[in-house]
Amino acid sequence: MSTSDPLVVFTPSGKRGRFPVGTPILTAARQLGVDLDSVCGGRGICSKCQVTPSYGEFSKHGVTVHEDALSEWNAVEERYDQKRGLAKGRRLGCQATVQRDVVIDVPETSQVHRQVVRKDASDRVMVMDPATKLYYVEVAEPDMHEPSGDLERLAEALKAQWDIAPVTAPLSIMTRLQPVLRKGKWAVTVALHKGHTDDSYRILDIYPGFNEERLFGLAIDLGSTTIAAHLTDLRNGTVAASAGVMNPQIRFGEDLMSRVSYSMMNPGGDKEMTRAVREAINGLAQSLAEEAGIDAAQIMEAVFVCNPVMHHLLLGIDPVELGQAPFALATSRSVSAPARELDLSALNSNARVFVLPCIAGHVGADAAAVALTEQPGQQDELTLVVDVGTNAEILLGDKARVLACSSPTGPAFEGAQISSGQRAAPGAIERIEIDPTTKEPRFRVIGVDLWSDDPDFEAAAAATGITGICGSGIIEAVAEMRMAGIVDASGLIGSAAQTGTDRCITEGRTHAYVIHDGRAEGGPLITVTQGDIRAIQLAKSALYAGARLLMDERGTDTVGRVVLAGAFGAHISPKHAMVLGMIPDAPLDKVTSAGNAAGTGARIALCSVAARAEIEKTVREITKVETAIEPKFQEHFVNANALPHATDPFPILRGIVPLPDVSYNTKGAEAEGGGRRRRRRG
């Protein structure tokens, strides 16, 4: 290139260079590394390389652009404009050539790694850079004088036209290659996959001619209780369909250690659990494809995030080592493999699977996904991220250092092991308020927008009924009972005489609080029992103790910000969580929800090869704290049994919410309450 050659400036990147007259804009963009899309390789077929030339004087760039800066509109552009239409002022970058100095704007729709704002569990900007993409190539026909195989000539075309090499193809592609090439008259579109750890490309599928076949991927959050999946368009990151199913492994045990025990006690139990979860994933993939109106063969990738036990069972690895010290993982690195090795037959036969890396034996790929989403290591203020679930993952960090641990909270937060508990479903109580004076409750159920004291509530709730109480409901109920003086700091429910309400009924030697009595209409009696309080205390104590261990490691008693992650975390009231002592004391406006951060992390990794490399590096920099062997965990756990805490003062909370100073731990209270059995209807 000569200094007399025209100057080409690209915006918004600001990249510039001089190119000989006649150079296509797409070629100039490629040589400068400008983010300009193209699937057809510059043949004027795909229209993805649309650009907008700017004319006039640009002092910032030191150029003046004249009307003849680009070549004239040609026949290819004319044909495309007639068939599909080009926006006013747009040119095809593969057809317009450089004539004089020019400033070229690359619109967002023409950028390969265009940013897509996802309005889902958490609003965020997602950069598109998927591992699987489509490439159109024209392949040389066979020649007896220069003998070579069709695959070799396809590889040569990819190298020459896209600078892609080396390329491999499975046998299933080899069996189709020759008829597809000939049907396409030696022009084909190939779906290529490139991982973040190697330089080779794999052919996943091949189509005759130019084909804009949509490629899809699955982002899957494989949890202990539920499996949530998002069918994602790999061209632009949009979610075509989302769904969740119960993890069928629940029948082998609700918590992780129960499943490890099942594997230990039952020869072949691990294989049984692996088969169950893979079948569920296949069914979920098929139903998502049907919902989106696509062929499941268009699903080329699946990205998984999961805790270590789920990680091993998904991959077909016996989790027995995770049930005993030193809690050794089979591998802590990310896993990339053909989907067929995991029996994921619902996907494309050559689809790939990527599983994010684990952090430690009890801190899995789901925590890594949360770290990818929330970026605690990029924060100026000390940030606590809690992914609330059957097994809680906890991250604490800032730019100086990030720590991680997990706590076995159990299923109580999800409504299990609660007397009137149920999964979140229509009819389940999800919000509760208790008047501190009258001790009367009002509530809302899933599927109904009205509170129970609204005159129209009964009619509105006729379809759903009032069936039980879900996880967010039991958290609010216990916290409201504490704020109303129905429960004391130790977690004891008072008698009717002690609390001043006959909603407190006797159950054996303890008491329960009646939220709703629907027995007259054939419905349930919904109460919060002393056993329910204890289950919540155990769960929240494990959660808080884990957070305190990380805070001890950082030498602090406070955090600057708290992020509640997980689909369940999105429904937790920060005030009620703090009254329970689930999370450390902090200003309520500093407690936010991140929605399903693990699922968001799965989508980020699905849409970006660079994100996969980033999280691979990040997890190696996180300090792991093992709660099972930390001597102070038990001390923190015991202190955290109180509501909100036995020793931590929670000054910010107490400045916002008055907590009654009551105590029901007396024999007299038990005797006095014993005769109060009158029940009230809700």
Side-chain angles (χ1 to χ4, degrees):
M1 298 181 191
S2 167
T3 54
S4 60
D5 288 335
L7 176 67
V8 181
V9 180
F10 288 93
T11 61
S13 67
K15 293 182 178 179
R16 58 172 60 203
R18 294 190 178 275
F19 297 88
V21 171
T23 301
I25 292 298
L26 179 59
T27 300
R30 284 178 174 169
Q31 291 186 19
L32 290 175
V34 172
D35 203 10
L36 180 58
D37 204 355
S38 174
V39 169
C40 70
R43 296 171 177 83
I45 301 174
C46 72
S47 80
K48 293 184 180 300
C49 64
Q50 293 183 32
V51 296
T52 304
S54 300
Y55 302 98
E57 185 175 340
F58 298 88
S59 57
K60 176 182 177 181
H61 304 302
V63 295
T64 299
V65 182
H66 299 277
E67 291 291 332
D68 59 351
L70 296 180
S71 57
E72 293 183 358
W73 187 269
N74 68 13
V76 173
E77 290 174 298
E78 181 66 36
R79 184 177 68 249
Y80 182 84
D81 187 42
Q82 290 176 354
K83 287 186 176 182
R84 298 190 185 182
L86 270 174
K88 185 177 180 180
R90 291 279 180 89
R91 299 290 303 272
L92 294 182
C94 61
Q95 302 300 311
T97 62
V98 177
Q99 303 298 315
R100 301 178 66 175
D101 293 349
V102 66
V103 174
I104 298 291
D105 181 64
V106 180
E108 185 178 351
T109 52
S110 298
Q111 295 171 21
V112 180
H113 308 113
R114 53 188 174 273
Q115 294 182 325
V116 178
V117 178
R118 294 282 301 117
K119 294 185 182 297
D120 207 314
S122 59
D123 295 339
R124 65 175 302 110
V125 174
M126 194 171 292
V127 177
M128 294 305 299
D129 179 25
T132 303
K133 300 176 185 176
L134 290 176
Y135 298 88
Y136 173 81
V137 289
E138 294 175 353
V139 182
E141 296 185 33
D143 186 340
M144 285 193 302
H145 301 291
E146 296 182 14
S148 66
D150 285 354
L151 178 61
E152 286 69 38
R153 280 180 281 103
L154 173 59
E156 289 171 3
L158 285 165
K159 172 65 176 173
Q161 296 167 36
W162 290 100
D163 195 26
I164 287 174
V167 174
T168 60
L171 185 59
S172 59
I173 293 293
M174 293 291 294
T175 60
R176 298 173 46 220
L177 179 60
Q178 292 191 311
V180 170
L181 278 169
R182 285 151 182 82
K183 183 178 180 180
K185 296 181 171 50
W186 306 101
V188 293
T189 303
V190 292
L192 290 181
H193 176 276
K194 183 181 183 298
H196 70 284
T197 59
D198 57 52
D199 296 324
S200 63
Y201 291 79
R202 299 175 182 86
I203 299 178
L204 302 186
D205 215 333
I206 184 168
Y207 314 94
F210 176 72
N211 193 311
E212 286 191 284
E213 183 85 4
R214 295 165 68 195
L215 304 183
F216 290 86
L218 285 172
I220 301 175
D221 180 5
L222 175 53
S224 310
T225 305
T226 57
I227 307 171
H230 305 281
L231 181 66
T232 305
D233 192 324
L234 294 179
R235 300 173 306 169
N236 50 32
T238 57
V239 175
S242 295
V245 296
M246 297 296 292
N247 187 331
Q249 292 177 345
I250 285 177
R251 67 179 182 264
F252 304 106
E254 282 201 316
D255 60 85
L256 297 176
M257 287 304 104
S258 295
R259 293 178 206 177
V260 174
S261 296
Y262 183 86
S263 179
M264 289 176 173
M265 303 299 292
N266 299 274
D270 60 312
K271 293 179 175 58
E272 193 178 356
M273 289 186 282
T274 293
R275 183 168 54 253
V277 77
R278 289 178 177 179
E279 288 174 356
I281 293 165
N282 275 320
L284 188 55
Q286 192 64 53
S287 64
L288 283 170
E290 291 172 3
E291 181 183 338
I294 68 164
D295 185 343
Q298 292 174 256
I299 304 176
M300 295 290 181
E301 275 197 272
V303 170
F304 287 89
V305 300
C306 41
N307 60 57
V309 173
M310 292 297 96
H311 173 279
H312 278 39
L313 289 173
L314 170 68
L315 297 175
I317 301 169
D318 192 334
V320 61
E321 293 297 333
L322 297 173
Q324 55 199 3
F327 315 110
L329 289 158
T331 178
S332 60
R333 296 183 181 278
S334 64
V335 175
S336 184
R340 61 178 175 273
E341 288 190 8
L342 276 66
D343 302 322
L344 299 183
S345 56
L347 282 57
N348 184 285
S349 60
N350 294 313
R352 302 289 299 181
V353 162
F354 179 80
V355 185
L356 269 69
C358 291
I359 296 175
H362 281 162
V363 189
D366 47 0
V370 172
L372 182 60
T373 303
E374 291 303 308
Q375 301 283 333
Q378 305 294 323
Q379 307 303 317
D380 291 318
E381 57 186 342
L382 191 60
T383 301
L384 179 73
V385 185
V386 182
D387 192 349
V388 187
T390 306
N391 196 62
E393 280 76 35
I394 307 169
L395 299 166
L396 177 69
D398 53 20
K399 290 180 178 178
R401 189 183 178 202
V402 179
L403 307 165
C405 74
S406 70
S407 277
T409 52
F413 285 152
E414 295 177 347
Q417 297 178 353
I418 301 298
S419 60
S420 298
Q422 67 167 84
R423 305 293 180 190
I429 295 174
E430 63 172 342
R431 299 286 313 279
I432 300 177
E433 291 180 355
I434 298 176
D435 187 297
T437 303
T438 66
K439 309 296 191 284
E440 286 296 298
R442 70 177 194 141
F443 53 82
R444 284 175 57 173
V445 299
I446 297 174
V448 179
D449 292 332
L450 303 176
W451 286 87
S452 60
D453 58 353
D454 189 291
D456 298 323
F457 174 80
E458 189 172 339
T464 65
I466 303 169
T467 55
I469 187 165
C470 67
S472 61
I474 192 64
I475 285 175
E476 292 200 7
V478 177
E480 287 284 327
M481 289 168 69
R482 176 71 181 96
M483 289 188 286
I486 296 167
V487 168
D488 67 16
S490 72
L492 279 176
I493 302 174
S495 67
Q498 291 170 320
T499 60
T501 175
D502 55 6
R503 283 187 175 271
C504 287
I505 62 175
T506 301
E507 286 201 345
R509 299 180 63 185
T510 61
H511 301 94
Y513 176 77
V514 177
I515 295 175
H516 171 73
D517 188 350
R519 291 176 296 176
E521 295 82 23
L525 172 68
I526 299 174
T527 63
V528 177
T529 68
Q530 192 62 65
D532 298 338
I533 301 284
R534 292 301 184 219
I536 291 298
Q537 284 178 290
L538 291 173
K540 75 95 175 180
S541 296
L543 186 63
Y544 189 84
R548 280 297 318 188
L549 277 182
L550 301 188
M551 293 164 68
D552 289 348
E553 187 73 18
R554 284 298 301 261
T556 182
D557 291 324
T558 60
V559 297
R561 193 165 67 98
V562 179
V563 179
L564 297 171
F568 174 59
H571 298 282
I572 298 175
S573 154
K575 180 180 76 172
H576 292 93
M578 204 170 292
V579 168
L580 284 186
M582 286 176 62
I583 55 177
D585 194 38
L588 292 183
D589 62 355
K590 290 289 188 175
V591 183
T592 59
S593 169
N596 186 6
T600 301
R603 294 201 308 274
I604 292 171
L606 177 65
C607 293
S608 172
V609 175
R612 301 181 188 187
E614 175 192 338
I615 194 58
E616 195 91 64
K617 177 176 178 290
T618 298
V619 296
R620 306 294 158 240
E621 299 169 347
I622 294 175
T623 301
K624 301 88 179 174
V625 176
E626 180 52 67
T627 57
I629 59 174
E630 282 290 336
K632 287 203 72 175
F633 181 83
Q634 188 62 27
E635 177 187 336
H636 286 312
F637 180 86
V638 171
N639 287 333
N641 262 245
L643 304 174
H645 200 275
T647 57
D648 291 354
F650 279 72
I652 298 174
L653 173 67
R654 292 181 185 276
I656 303 169
V657 178
L659 298 177
D661 184 14
V662 294
S663 176
Y664 303 130
N665 189 20
T666 66
K667 291 182 179 180
E670 293 177 7
E672 187 178 11
R676 302 291 294 248
R677 292 182 175 271
R678 189 156 54 97
R679 290 168 169 80
R680 291 277 302 268
R681 283 180 54 197

